[in-house]
């Protein structure tokens, strides 16, 4: 089975990330994040975001998202998110676990973007003692369906939430792909996002993500919170080093731009060389194809790993490591179905 397009998690580490990890392994360094590698990696993230934020590196995106949401909502409250968001569909209740009962309210919207009308309706719901009221909004950039929010779209979602006194979390597991598609990272803090998960794993790191707290008050006792959650690395430089390598070399951006380009090549080929239709616009590194079950099964039998997504379409994801040759081989297989 070929996993080239199964997920952007299936590729190995990008060379710049791996080299930085090797270099970080030389000699001795202070433990628990007090080392120079961690400080430099955090500075690189602050520079990209043009914001003076508090930053911690953790072992997974699920932990980063769940801990971030636990900062924004009490156990008797809930978080608004798209119904297909990772926090709703793929984290096994982790936000509720880390948040001691924090709930999730799923909202509709095409291509993983929250419908503003649905958001307003949820915010306008009367508060009663029998339901968890919304206390925060979780957004995903780029979305689970490969869509990239514009600054204006984000503003229309964030402003009414802020007017209600709620917090805002941004899941940036594929933030590099959004940036490569033209999204200005420096707008995140200015739009009112309180806490961001700055993606590393899907951008070519190992398993590491960064929690970025623009609201520094959220960082009060953050190290205690992370320690209790099993997210404190004694040799923290091994979490930060892949970020440092990707960011100092610009491989974080370059790899995402390549992944986006490969996705567009794949999408164009599907339209030109097959009878299948695209289920969603291709704006980042994911391609969703309307494909009958028999055709999907045959593609799997031919050795291509690809999966049916929540909306019934077949998802193909490109990464920093996707090659032109692999895209064209896949297109040959799809064209022959």
């Amino acid at each position: 089975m070929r996993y080239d397009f199964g997920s952007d998690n299936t590729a190995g580490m990008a060379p710049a990330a791996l080299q930085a990890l090797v270099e970080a392994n030389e000699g001795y360094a202070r433990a628990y994040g007090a080392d120079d590698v961690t400080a430099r990696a955090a500075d690189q993230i602050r520079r990209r975001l043009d914001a003076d934020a508090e930053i911690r590196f953790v072992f997974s995106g699920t932990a980063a998202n769940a801990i971030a949401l636990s900062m924004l909502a009490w156990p008797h409250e809930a978080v608004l998110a798209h119904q297909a968001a990772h926090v709703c569909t793929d984290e096994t209740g982790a936000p509720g676990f880390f948040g001691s009962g924090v709930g999730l309210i799923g909202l509709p919207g095409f291509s993983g973007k929250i419908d503003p009308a649905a958001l307003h309706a949820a915010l306008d719901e009367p508060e009663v003692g029998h339901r968890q009221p919304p206390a925060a909004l979780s957004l995903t950039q780029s979305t689970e369906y490969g869509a990239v929010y514009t600054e204006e779209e984000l503003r229309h979602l964030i402003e009414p939430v802020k007017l209600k006194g709620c917090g805002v979390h941004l899941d940036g597991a594929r933030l590099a792909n959004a940036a490569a598609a033209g999204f200005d990272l420096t707008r995140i803090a200015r739009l009112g996002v309180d806490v961001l998960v700055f993606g590393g794993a899907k951008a070519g790191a190992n398993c590491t993500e960064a929690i970025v707290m623009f609201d520094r008050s959220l960082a009060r006792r953050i190290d205690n919170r992370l320690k209790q959650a099993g997210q404190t690395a004694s040799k923290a430089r091994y979490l930060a080093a892949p970020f440092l390598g990707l960011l100092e070399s610009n491989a974080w951006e370059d790899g995402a731009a390549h992944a986006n380009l490969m996705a567009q090549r794949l999408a164009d080929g599907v339209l030109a060389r097959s009878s299948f239709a695209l289920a969603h616009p291709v704006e980042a590194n994911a391609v969703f194809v309307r494909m009958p079950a028999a055709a999907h099964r045959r593609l799997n039998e031919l050795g291509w790993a690809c999966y049916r997504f929540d909306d019934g379409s077949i998802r193909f994801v490109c990464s920093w490591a996707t090659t032109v040759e692999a895209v064209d081989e896949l297109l040959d297989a799809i064209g022959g179905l």
Side-chain angles (χ1 to χ4, degrees):
M1 189 68 76
R2 291 190 59 173
Y3 292 92
D4 306 43
F5 303 92
S7 168
D8 38 7
N9 288 319
T10 60
M13 292 177 67
L18 187 57
Q19 181 59 35
L21 191 60
V22 171
E23 291 173 5
N25 193 51
E26 292 296 321
Y28 295 85
R30 295 181 69 183
Y32 297 107
D35 60 279
D36 180 60
V37 170
T38 299
R40 286 163 57 199
D43 282 341
Q44 283 288 332
I45 293 174
R46 292 187 190 99
R47 202 166 297 139
R48 295 301 197 287
L49 300 170
D50 190 27
D52 181 25
E54 192 77 26
I55 296 172
R56 295 292 188 277
F57 297 95
V58 297
F59 293 100
S60 77
T62 293
N65 284 333
I67 291 169
L69 295 181
S70 75
M71 299 174 184
L72 300 177
W74 289 100
H76 58 278
E77 296 174 326
V79 175
L80 298 163
H82 192 278
Q83 60 196 18
H86 204 268
V87 296
C88 289
T89 64
D90 291 285
E91 296 186 356
T92 321
F97 178 78
F98 281 87
S100 301
V102 166
L104 293 166
I105 301 172
L107 300 175
F110 183 63
S111 290
K113 291 182 176 181
I114 293 173
D115 179 0
L119 174 65
H120 281 280
L123 291 173
D124 291 340
E125 280 280 326
E127 288 192 15
V128 297
H130 303 282
R131 292 193 296 269
Q132 290 173 294
L137 171 68
S138 177
L139 297 162
T140 307
Q141 180 76 317
S142 56
T143 76
E144 300 296 337
Y145 284 100
V148 178
Y149 282 107
T150 66
E151 179 184 345
E152 197 62 21
E153 287 173 329
L154 289 175
R155 190 183 310 282
H156 285 310
L157 296 173
I158 291 172
E159 285 184 351
V161 167
K162 286 290 185 174
L163 285 173
K164 286 278 190 177
C166 298
V168 178
H169 156 258
L170 184 65
D171 179 353
R174 295 186 176 95
L175 189 62
N177 301 99
F183 178 67
D184 183 356
L185 299 181
T186 67
R187 306 312 300 169
I188 297 173
R190 292 166 177 78
L191 283 165
V193 172
D194 297 292
V195 58
L196 160 74
V197 175
F198 191 99
K202 291 173 170 45
N206 44 3
C207 58
T208 184
E209 309 288 307
I211 301 176
V212 181
M213 292 156 279
F214 298 109
D215 178 354
R216 280 182 169 267
S217 70
L218 298 175
R220 181 175 181 268
R221 295 176 176 168
I222 180 62
D223 295 313
N224 306 84
R225 187 188 295 262
L226 293 175
K227 185 71 171 180
Q228 187 182 65
Q231 291 296 315
T232 299
S234 56
K235 299 182 180 182
R237 67 188 186 275
Y238 296 126
L239 294 182
F243 270 107
L244 184 63
L246 290 171
L247 294 170
E248 282 193 339
S249 67
N250 288 316
W252 190 80
E253 292 90 348
D254 294 344
H258 172 77
N260 290 6
L261 187 65
M262 293 299 97
Q264 193 59 60
R265 182 183 184 92
L266 177 59
D268 291 344
V270 168
L271 293 176
R273 297 172 55 182
S274 80
S275 60
F276 304 123
L278 300 180
H280 299 273
V282 177
E283 298 175 353
N285 65 321
V287 180
F288 293 82
V289 181
R290 293 290 180 203
M291 186 179 291
H296 177 219
R297 185 166 57 252
R298 179 59 182 150
L299 197 58
N300 288 160
E301 290 170 353
L302 291 171
W304 294 97
C306 52
Y307 308 99
R308 192 169 297 280
F309 215 60
D310 297 359
D311 70 337
S313 63
I314 306 303
R315 187 187 77 163
F316 302 88
V317 188
C318 299
S319 73
W320 68 269
T322 303
T323 65
V324 170
E325 292 77 16
V327 172
D328 290 345
E329 286 181 46
L330 175 59
L331 286 170
D332 286 342
I334 292 174
L337 293 175

